[in-house]
Amino acid sequence: MVPLMQTTLAGTVTLTGAGVHAGVETRLLLKPAPVDTGIVFLRTFADQAPRKISVSRQSVQATDLATVLGDKSGILVSTVEHLLSTLSGLAIDNALIEIDGPEVPILDGSAALIVAAIDRVGTVSQKARRKFIKVLKPVRVENGAAFGELRPYDAGFRVEVEIEFDHVEIGRQRFAANLTPAVFRRELAHARTFGFLKDVERLRGAGFARGASLENTVCLGPEGILNPEGLRCPDEFVRHKALDAVGDLALAGLPLQARYASFRGGHKLNFQVVDALLADRSAYAIVEAPEARRRDAAELVFGQPMPAFAPER
């Protein structure tokens, strides 16, 4: 069930670990935040004043191999997609994220450990209704054979992700589901990031993947999967791509009421669709969940939402 009211954390969540690209050990604190705060990063530095930034379209600095946030002063934090996906997937609207390093820890390469840590402290409902970005008309971005598209959808937020890789372990895979916290926990949270052995030397030479290992990445060699434990499910690859898409779409700044379909997508394409949507003011409206009555909660949220005039972020 999708909540009607805004939610935040019931306590502080602590996570530590190295980033997959920089390889730097980082401590992360997820804290409760007031109504209408949104998701805010507070980067603490040893030699300078802390910097704060809200997750929004304007905060995106790069989307090549990871989603990187920053402002006019420069980059603030990178590889935020798994964390944003978890907060979005669990319908957490407001949180302050304190981080003392350049990159969100990769942990085991999935969102499972973040979900487990949040579940240990729990979430609380707040005294304000949730706000959504309701897609009013199709918005599509194409990059060669790849595409991403948002379309109107009255039954919540639906993801339909299809991938295609020329590797015996992947091939063509598809995942589709209406996203709720229960679906996110069950279907997406466990899916790990993946990469190809042939790309490792090139990536590390360019300053990426320095923290990647078989502990946090599914690694594909010419003849198969190098991880001794194998896959967590046969289609773990497309499920992870769907997890990434949920996190990238959270860069809109509010949860979406829409259907998102992509083929051969990645961070850059996902964000290009968000950017195209928010650049066209006729393509969306900011709406508010109505007050609960006797009907099913999901129907109430996405049946006839009421217009809201809160500031866009």
Side-chain angles (χ1 to χ4, degrees), residues 170-289:
I170 306 179
R172 195 158 180 163
Q173 298 182 355
R174 185 176 186 273
F175 175 84
N178 283 20
L179 194 68
T180 66
V183 168
F184 185 85
R185 284 185 175 90
R186 184 178 67 247
E187 306 291 344
L188 297 183
H190 64 282
R192 295 164 294 173
T193 192
F194 61 94
F196 298 90
L197 183 63
K198 63 182 177 62
D199 295 330
V200 170
E201 185 175 346
R202 174 180 58 83
L203 289 172
R204 287 183 174 165
F208 297 102
R210 293 178 178 176
S213 72
L214 296 182
E215 300 292 322
N216 55 44
T217 303
V218 177
C219 186
L220 295 131
E223 298 181 359
I225 296 165
L226 302 183
N227 305 65
E229 74 277 16
L231 296 176
R232 293 178 175 176
C233 59
D235 60 348
E236 187 171 0
F237 305 103
V238 72
R239 289 174 189 263
H240 186 79
K241 284 290 190 177
L243 185 152
D244 278 347
V246 172
D248 294 333
L249 294 172
L251 297 168
L254 287 171
L256 294 172
Q257 181 185 342
R259 167 184 170 267
Y260 182 64
S262 72
F263 176 63
R264 292 184 177 179
H267 299 304
K268 180 173 287 189
L269 180 63
N270 295 333
F271 177 66
Q272 286 174 333
V273 177
V274 170
D275 198 41
L277 171 72
L278 298 182
D280 183 353
R281 196 59 188 86
S282 69
Y284 70 95
I286 307 298
V287 299
E288 192 172 84

Side-chain angles (χ1 to χ4, degrees), residues 111-134:
L113 296 179
I114 309 174
V115 170
I118 290 173
D119 284 347
R120 282 194 291 272
V121 302
T123 60
V124 293
S125 181
Q126 298 176 289
K127 294 182 179 180
R129 285 179 280 168
R130 301 188 80 207
K131 299 180 180 69
F132 300 85
I133 295 174
K134 178 182 173 68

Side-chain angles (χ1 to χ4, degrees), residues 43-101:
R43 170 75 186 274
T44 58
F45 298 81
D47 58 348
Q48 56 185 282
R51 286 167 52 202
K52 183 183 289 188
I53 193 167
S54 296
V55 172
S56 70
R57 170 196 185 196
Q58 290 76 22
S59 67
V60 179
Q61 300 296 304
T63 54
D64 291 324
L65 292 174
T67 302
V68 180
L69 305 182
D71 55 23
K72 61 183 179 181
S73 301
I75 290 173
L76 191 77
V77 60
S78 68
T79 322
V80 299
E81 54 269 16
H82 298 174
L83 178 57
L84 294 185
S85 183
T86 304
L87 296 173
S88 178
L90 299 185
I92 296 171
D93 301 282
N94 305 303
L96 175 65
I97 304 164
E98 294 185 11
I99 184 167
D100 66 0

